Amino acid sequence: MSNPSLLILPGDGIGPEVMDQVTRVIDWFGAKRDLAFDVSTDLVGGAAYDAHGTPLHDDTMAKALEVDAVLLGAVGGPKYDDLDFSLKPERGLLRLRKEMDLFSNLRPAQCFDALADFSSLKKDIVAGLDIMIVRELTSGVYFGEPRGIFEEGNERVGINTQRYTESEIERVARSAFDLAMKRGKKLCSMEKANVMESGILWREVVTKVGEEYPEVELSHMYADNGAMQLVRAPKQFDVIVTDNLFGDVLSDCAAMLTGSLGMLPSASLGAPMENGQARAMYEPVHGSAPDITGQGKANPIACMLSFAMALRYSFDQGAEATRLESAIEKVLADGARTADLMGPEGGTALSTTEMGDVILAALDASL
């Protein structure tokens, strides 16, 4: 039986640095847990543009469609700001999402007890927080047509179209309900049905799908109120499902409840392939952080947790995912911190590699 296949796309900025530490973790599972992967590496984003003149080479796209999962670091950087829109690093990421049909984006917002003081909210509001936001990822205003900047009379006008079909809403709703069944059986759907026709359709379709999941408590909330409730009383939520635009905004809002973007992973899941397994891409929520690139300050934990999500959702290795997550939780409880996690009391921050060292040591201790 062949090993599961994994395509690594380190990307730009701190992407390669954090991915080096994830590769060490992948190697550990192969050596210590008899869980080996067939790993290949390629370019995306600015790195791909520098090498090929495009943010995603066709050959790389073909590889992504063939492997069991893709693990991506980060894309972008100021050196690419003046490129044509079609050549910007982010277009490579969007192409991967679109052509792999990764319609369901899972973004957990979990606050580790050891980091509850790092949130901008009071500790009692965020301690124990564990939310999962399911964001529709391949439709909506980011992809709808018509779009562009046009001449209209004597001025320019920018147009983006919010467009959803019933089937696009249904499949992401079903993904969210399935996830809610495995968690707290509580789902909140967020849209703007009070001012947007697409929101009216969204609410109708989610409600209809909900009839198939009588065990799940379904509620609806306008997205602007949802943003307010996330900072007022975030623990009222378990799973949230929403569209592409609102999901982008709300998941970033939820991310900062935990204290650091450097801690948060994500998974993007698609329809089943011929072998019955869903296409998937995993990536940290944080960006390429060009201001600290090459300085050894990057926090590798979000990318490691993204690999943990891959273990759970793509490779059916939930126990090993928990092993990695528990190792990370332990080193944080023991006081290990990278620069982004340093509190006002000061101390010595671990480098990217040193954080990898202590997490590997915690994994060894778990055996």
Side-chain angles (χ1 to χ4, degrees):
M1 184 175 179
S2 60
N3 297 327
S5 56
L6 183 64
L7 173 61
I8 291 180
L9 303 174
D12 308 319
I14 63 171
E17 300 171 51
V18 298
M19 198 63 76
D20 283 346
Q21 302 311 307
V22 179
T23 300
R24 296 175 69 194
V25 170
I26 294 171
D27 291 342
W28 183 91
F29 277 98
K32 302 293 181 70
R33 300 298 298 164
D34 195 26
L35 183 56
F37 297 88
D38 289 335
V39 177
S40 56
T41 304
D42 214 320
L43 304 175
V44 69
Y49 176 80
D50 290 341
H52 305 297
T54 176
L56 186 70
H57 196 278
D58 289 345
D59 290 346
T60 310
M61 186 68 248
K63 291 180 186 177
L65 292 171
E66 293 172 357
V67 296
D68 294 317
V70 175
L71 184 62
L72 186 143
V75 297
K79 67 178 287 189
Y80 308 106
D81 286 349
D82 294 331
L83 289 177
D84 182 80
F85 183 74
S86 64
L87 297 175
K88 288 185 179 295
E90 294 77 10
R91 302 308 296 177
L93 175 59
L94 290 176
R95 183 184 176 191
L96 283 164
R97 291 173 176 172
K98 189 67 175 179
E99 295 194 22
M100 292 176 71
D101 199 19
L102 304 176
F103 62 86
S104 182
N105 179 228
L106 278 54
R107 283 185 57 168
Q110 181 179 9
C111 187
F112 290 94
D113 288 344
L115 300 181
D117 287 326
F118 286 81
S119 174
S120 56
L121 299 185
K122 295 177 181 178
K123 184 175 182 178
D124 62 317
I125 293 177
V126 297
L129 179 70
D130 184 7
I131 298 173
M132 180 70 80
I133 295 182
V134 180
R135 167 191 173 192
E136 199 290 320
L137 201 60
T138 57
S139 299
V141 75
Y142 291 173
F143 294 96
E145 298 288 348
R147 64 178 296 156
I149 299 175
F150 306 95
E151 295 289 339
E152 189 174 281
N154 60 355
E155 63 179 351
R156 295 187 301 162
V157 56
I159 296 175
N160 291 92
T161 302
Q162 169 79 337
R163 181 183 185 277
Y164 272 105
T165 65
E166 289 180 288
S167 59
E168 289 169 341
I169 300 169
E170 180 182 346
R171 66 181 186 173
V172 73
R174 199 173 301 282
S175 173
F177 276 106
D178 287 341
L179 188 61
M181 285 291 292
K182 299 174 183 177
R183 289 173 52 98
K185 296 184 178 180
K186 186 178 178 182
L187 176 64
C188 181
S189 175
M190 296 187 184
E191 27 61 13
K192 287 288 288 180
N194 55 335
V195 293
M196 298 172 67
E197 286 79 4
S198 61
I200 295 172
L201 181 64
W202 184 281
R203 183 173 293 210
E204 291 176 353
V205 173
V206 172
T207 300
K208 183 177 180 181
V209 174
E211 294 173 358
E212 303 174 27
Y213 297 84
E215 295 180 58
V216 176
E217 177 189 342
L218 172 64
S219 61
H220 301 274
M221 188 175 290
Y222 296 144
D224 51 346
N225 183 34
M228 180 182 73
Q229 295 297 329
L230 277 172
V231 297
R232 187 188 75 83
K235 285 186 281 189
Q236 68 181 283
F237 300 111
D238 180 33
V239 180
I240 295 171
V241 63
T242 189
D243 74 7
N244 206 340
L245 175 60
F246 295 137
D248 196 353
V249 175
L250 292 169
S251 57
D252 276 359
C253 177
M256 284 314 299
L257 300 178
T258 68
S260 173
L261 282 173
M263 292 295 301
L264 298 176
S266 75
S268 300
L269 309 179
M273 297 181 284
E274 291 183 3
N275 62 4
Q277 180 176 311
R279 286 200 171 94
M281 182 166 66
Y282 301 88
E283 58 183 302
V285 171
H286 65 68
S288 60
D291 56 318
I292 61 169
T293 297
Q295 300 176 34
K297 296 180 179 180
N299 184 347
I301 289 178
C303 205
M304 289 184 180
L305 290 172
S306 296
F307 175 63
M309 292 186 80
L311 288 172
R312 177 169 283 113
Y313 293 113
S314 283
F315 303 124
D316 195 26
Q317 295 288 338
E320 299 302 337
T322 299
R323 181 186 300 275
L324 176 54
E325 292 161 349
S326 297
I328 291 170
E329 187 168 10
K330 182 182 186 304
V331 302
L332 293 172
D334 290 344
R337 300 286 186 269
T338 44
D340 60 310
L341 301 177
M342 296 300 295
E345 68 277 5
T348 303
L350 298 181
S351 69
T352 308
T353 300
E354 288 169 339
M355 181 59 87
D357 291 340
V358 296
I359 290 172
L360 287 169
L363 283 170
D364 282 336
S366 74
L367 297 175

